Amino acid sequence: IQLEPHFPDAYNNLGNALREKGELDEAILCYKSALRLKPEHPHAYNNLGNVMKDKGMVEESIHCYLMAISLMPCFAAAHSNLGSVLKEQGKLDEALIHYSQAINIDPRFADAYSNMGNAYKDLGRLSEAVRCYCAAIRVKPNFSDAYCNLASTYKDAGQLEDAICCYRKALTLRPDFLEAFANLYHSLNFICDWKTRDEDFAKLRIIIKKQVEKSGINDPLPSVQPFHALVYPLNLSEMRKISEKYAQRAANSMALLGIIPFRHQPPNPNREKSRIHVGYVSSDLGNHPLSHLMQSVFGFHDKNRFQVTCYALSQNDNSIYRRKIEDEVERICDISALQPADAANLIYNDNVDILINLNGYTKGARNEIFSLQPAPIQVSYMGFCG
């Protein structure tokens, strides 16, 4: 740059180096300098989008990726990056479109295959996720992230031996892969393989301690999930710190979208007496242990004193348990297709007084809804005992 101050690629490359060092503001200045010198520079827009995403400036990152794509429609990396931002927003179908475009442009784009697998996994389409991860590994045989993602998908499908094999492969490729190590430990507990349990847990505890002490907004979540932590010999303080990290991530994900929590007025003691509106939120209102235990509770409320709404985070499975709940509860509302902010807005407009989270940190939870405080009183019950 000293030799050629009007060299846009030099500014772009300097931005990349600064981003690698974590100097994000300085990187932004470099990318903007590149764009001032060459406004039609797609790579500078893509890289600026990456650093905007790092800073949590989601809308700005989307704008940058779209600009990069408009300047170079066959820019596979920009399509994949845009897909990843859309996935984080919960817009999984839109994300899949951009991952597909990235792969059509570059059929050997391993990251795009893996990212597409993550979207399919979030949608519960596990067989399609497996195909994507396997495609990523065929293109890039040493792709440790793809092996870890494939393992997690096998784990969700109950194929524990396959999961353990893939976690071990990921760790062979990357020995310091904390997420793979934590999930391998959890999987070995499932099959009662105790051979290295004590030494593995001692290592895991050190990892957890370091992770929960970090406070940056972009720091990774603890490698142990809150629900998994309940079966480990952790103390209550350690369990709580893990859960708090996941709670903060749920709140941060909404804040990054510019969505602020609802505010509630103190109750008016002079208001006309009315029924208390209780809302139950769960992904397990069907053939699931939670409904086996709770199926009659919803209808037991005194309808003269309580109005009860069940908000379902999963579609109707047509089981006898779902039918019993639907027959006995005053109202059931399927919010499975709504974004968290839209679901929270619906609950807020329903004037729910007490909102009960029946998931906590179990599979299918949508804790982003609760981070927006759509009801003045919120309670955790049954699904998660933390």
Side-chain angles (χ1 to χ4, degrees):
I1 291 169
Q2 288 179 343
L3 295 172
E4 178 52 72
H6 301 289
F7 190 4
D9 286 349
Y11 280 103
N12 182 57
N13 293 336
L14 178 57
N16 292 340
L18 290 167
R19 180 179 176 235
E20 285 289 321
K21 291 179 63 180
E23 299 177 18
L24 302 185
D25 292 330
E26 291 80 0
I28 288 172
L29 292 175
C30 287
Y31 295 136
K32 288 184 175 180
S33 295
L35 289 167
R36 276 195 299 272
L37 294 168
K38 186 179 178 182
E40 70 286 0
H41 198 316
H43 293 281
Y45 269 116
N46 180 63
N47 293 331
L48 181 58
N50 290 338
V51 77
M52 290 295 186
K53 181 187 172 191
D54 291 344
K55 287 179 67 68
M57 302 168 71
V58 176
E59 294 303 323
E60 291 85 347
S61 72
I62 290 173
H63 170 75
C64 290
Y65 294 139
L66 289 172
M67 286 296 297
I69 291 167
S70 69
L71 292 167
M72 192 165 81
C74 292
F75 195 170
H79 279 290
S80 184
N81 290 334
L82 178 56
S84 294
V85 175
L86 293 170
K87 177 184 172 295
E88 288 183 9
Q89 290 184 315
K91 299 175 182 178
L92 298 175
D93 291 327
E94 292 180 48
L96 286 170
I97 291 170
H98 286 282
Y99 292 141
S100 295
Q101 288 176 308
I103 290 166
N104 288 336
I105 295 165
D106 182 1
R108 295 190 60 77
F109 194 172
D111 285 347
Y113 281 113
S114 186
N115 290 336
M116 178 182 275
N118 294 339
Y120 278 130
K121 183 173 180 288
D122 286 355
L123 286 166
R125 294 160 64 175
L126 301 185
S127 60
E128 289 160 291
V130 166
R131 283 199 292 273
C132 288
Y133 297 137
C134 289
I137 290 166
R138 281 195 299 273
V139 172
K140 188 177 176 182
N142 294 329
F143 196 175
S144 58
D145 286 293
Y147 273 109
C148 186
N149 292 334
L150 178 58
S152 295
T153 306
Y154 282 141
K155 187 164 175 273
D156 285 353
Q159 298 172 235
L160 290 174
E161 295 291 349
D162 291 329
I164 288 167
C165 179
C166 289
Y167 284 133
R168 284 185 164 142
K169 178 64 175 179
L171 286 164
T172 299
L173 295 169
R174 198 202 313 174
D176 62 348
F177 197 164
L178 303 183
E179 182 184 349
F181 176 75
N183 281 299
L184 173 61
Y185 178 81
H186 189 249
S187 300
L188 291 172
N189 274 273
F190 262 96
I191 63 169
C192 301
D193 184 335
W194 316 121
K195 289 190 289 292
T196 60
R197 187 172 191 265
D198 291 342
E199 62 184 90
D200 286 346
F201 179 71
K203 179 179 176 181
L204 188 61
R205 192 169 212 157
I206 293 170
I207 292 169
I208 294 169
K209 186 175 186 298
K210 291 179 180 177
Q211 290 176 328
V212 298
E213 288 173 352
K214 294 182 178 180
S215 58
I217 191 171
N218 290 316
D219 286 329
L221 288 170
S223 299
V224 173
Q225 298 177 34
F227 192 59
H228 295 175
L230 297 176
V231 301
Y232 298 159
L234 296 165
N235 61 49
L236 293 178
S237 175
E238 291 170 318
M239 291 181 185
R240 176 170 178 160
K241 286 177 181 177
I242 292 170
S243 296
E244 286 174 344
K245 283 289 184 181
Y246 277 79
Q248 190 59 53
R249 174 57 64 90
N252 288 345
S253 68
M254 293 294 96
L256 292 178
L257 298 176
I259 303 169
I260 60 175
F262 293 99
R263 301 184 69 176
H264 302 273
Q265 297 297 322
N268 182 358
N270 298 318
R271 77 170 187 174
E272 188 175 324
K273 188 174 182 181
S274 60
R275 294 189 300 166
I276 296 172
H277 192 175
V278 180
Y280 290 92
V281 182
S282 178
S283 65
D284 303 320
L285 300 177
N287 186 11
H288 184 277
L290 181 126
S291 289
H292 301 170
L293 295 167
M294 290 282 293
Q295 58 183 308
S296 300
V297 171
F298 308 112
F300 279 160
H301 293 72
D302 182 349
K303 290 183 172 58
N304 293 318
R305 299 174 58 202
F306 298 98
Q307 175 189 352
V308 178
T309 302
C310 286
Y311 296 97
L313 297 174
S314 58
Q315 294 180 345
N316 190 346
D317 65 353
N318 295 311
S319 65
I320 58 172
Y321 306 100
R322 177 70 168 239
R323 287 197 296 272
K324 180 176 175 61
I325 293 169
E326 290 180 338
D327 290 343
E328 296 182 3
V329 76
E330 194 164 340
R331 174 176 170 243
I332 189 164
C333 181
D334 185 342
I335 60 172
S336 60
L338 297 182
Q339 296 296 317
D342 296 326
N345 193 56
L346 184 150
I347 293 168
Y348 176 80
N349 288 325
D350 282 348
N351 295 310
V352 172
D353 297 300
I354 303 171
L355 191 64
I356 301 174
N357 184 349
L358 293 176
N359 272 97
Y361 296 102
T362 58
K363 187 176 179 180
R366 302 277 293 282
N367 291 316
E368 294 82 4
I369 295 171
F370 287 85
S371 75
L372 295 175
Q373 194 79 32
I377 298 173
Q378 298 188 161
V379 181
S380 179
Y381 180 65
M382 186 61 76
F384 180 74
C385 57

